[in-house]
Amino acid sequence: MQGIGKILIDEQTLMERISEMGEEISKDYQDKDLVVIGILKGAVMFLADLVKHIKLPLTMDFMAVSSYGRSTHSSGVVRILKDLDEDIEGKDVLIVEDIVDTGLTLNYLADNLLSRNPKSLKICCCLDKPSKRRVPVKVDYVGFTIPDKFVVGYGLDYAEKYRNLSYICVLDDDNIE
Ligand code: IMP
Ligand code: MG
């Protein structure tokens, strides 16, 4: 696929950082009851690579939320499209998300999951775009902090496309309808 835009984070850089993050999480969650919650669909690639580096007997669950539709800007409305399969009460929960931008999605998710009484709740994001934050979110593990650009690849989409790229690139303006 050509002409999408400039590569921001290449595959090797992603893999190196994700392996470091996995090591850090492995240390922090020793002797804990870790449940990794992936947020569909964007976090799928990141979660799959990350958990290979978490050397602990964890479980995985998934949630799907929607806040964007076919737009590059947040509508601010978060809807649960798919809820967790299992109860998280008393568990050490780690939310794994692709990117935190305005913070609206994670702010909503954190509140929602906290109301289910987990033992602990932390957030792990592949990318952080702090310049557009509208609500504060405490992200405990951040892969990369990036500038205010719309990015695609490695799970991130524009109108559901480009998720399968093995790297993260900036979407050129001429590809945005
Ligand atoms: P927030 O609620 O604004 O923090 O947005 C979080 C969600 O918006 C992420 O889970 C992504 O699905 C989407 N998003 C935010 N920025 C980008 C981007 O640059 N590329 C693709 N998706 C994005
Ligand atoms: Mg998305």
Side-chain angles (χ1 to χ4, degrees), residues 83-126:
D83 207 340
L84 298 176
D85 292 337
E86 304 291 333
D87 196 358
I88 54 164
E89 187 166 351
K91 307 273 185 183
D92 294 295
V93 172
L94 182 64
I95 303 177
V96 175
E97 175 61 311
D98 51 4
I99 185 167
V100 51
D101 183 17
T102 62
L104 291 164
T105 307
L106 277 170
N107 185 272
Y108 170 85
L109 274 173
D111 277 357
N112 183 292
L113 295 182
L114 275 175
S115 74
R116 306 180 196 196
N117 299 317
K119 188 168 175 207
S120 67
L121 181 74
K122 282 192 183 183
I123 297 175
C124 174
C125 275
C126 186

Side-chain angles (χ1 to χ4, degrees), residues 55-69:
K55 310 289 184 195
L56 297 171
L58 55 80
T59 63
M60 283 184 235
D61 207 340
F62 295 91
M63 258 177 114
V65 295
S66 160
S67 58
Y68 270 67

